[in-house]
Amino acid sequence: VYKRQVLILWLNSSLARAVVEPVCTIGEAANCVGEGNYSIRLSSVREDEIGALSQSFDSMTEQLEKAHNKLEALSRQDGLTGILNRREFDRVFRIEFSRAVRFGHSLSLIMIDLDHFKQVNDKYGHLVGDNVLRILTTLVEKAISDVDQFAR
């Protein structure tokens, strides 16, 4: 009877190390992904079903991280010009304004208004108007420094 109990304890312990602990690790990693941590990887070297599940998990999280980063960039950029959009401008401006006030530095804001731009769109079409905005963006980006922010 004693040998049987020892065998059962040993099998239970082996099963826990071989299956239960890795599955719990995968579950914890999945919870991290659910909380927004897309950089987590399991990097399992096992060559069984647990290893295959871990590799699939790593592949999935890599794809999720790429998609998340792309969405983050798209949520901050103007789709036409690639420069900061209004929402990101507002966020950056608040930060820069607070920094200028805190350190007693000056802050400059330049606004560009294209006179009669609606007439360009009406007369030549939105594709031409879009091209004008892209060209203007290129010109302004060449004229400003790396620390300056440009937004639409």
Side-chain angles (χ1 to χ4, degrees), residues 71-142:
L71 283 173
E72 284 272 322
L74 289 172
S75 74
R76 293 185 181 125
Q77 291 179 330
D78 175 64
L80 178 65
T81 61
I83 60 176
L84 301 181
N85 64 19
R86 174 62 188 267
R87 182 180 317 123
E88 187 65 5
F89 165 78
D90 289 342
R91 188 187 74 76
V92 169
F93 182 75
R94 280 192 304 274
I95 291 168
E96 293 301 325
F97 184 79
S98 295
R99 182 178 291 140
V101 168
R102 179 178 179 198
F103 295 109
H105 295 152
S106 60
L107 178 68
S108 298
L109 176 66
I110 299 172
M111 296 183 73
I112 300 171
D113 180 29
L114 297 177
D115 290 339
H116 312 293
F117 185 70
K118 182 180 180 328
Q119 293 172 355
V120 171
N121 274 335
D122 291 345
K123 185 172 182 178
Y124 300 104
H126 288 280
L127 292 177
V128 171
D130 289 352
N131 204 28
V132 168
L133 292 175
R134 286 189 200 101
I135 291 168
L136 175 70
T137 297
T138 301
L139 292 172
V140 171
E141 285 183 323
K142 286 180 181 178

Side-chain angles (χ1 to χ4, degrees), residues 43-88:
S43 303
S44 176
V45 294
R46 292 175 58 149
E47 301 210 10
D48 58 2
E49 291 81 2
I50 300 289
L53 181 60
S54 295
Q55 289 173 0
S56 294
F57 180 89
D58 287 350
S59 176
M60 177 194 67
T61 54
E62 185 176 329
Q63 291 172 19
L64 279 171
E65 184 175 31
K66 286 178 183 176
H68 176 76
N69 291 341
K70 186 175 181 180
L71 283 173
E72 284 272 322
L74 289 172
S75 74
R76 293 185 181 125
Q77 291 179 330
D78 175 64
L80 178 65
T81 61
I83 60 176
L84 301 181
N85 64 19
R86 174 62 188 267
R87 182 180 317 123
E88 187 65 5

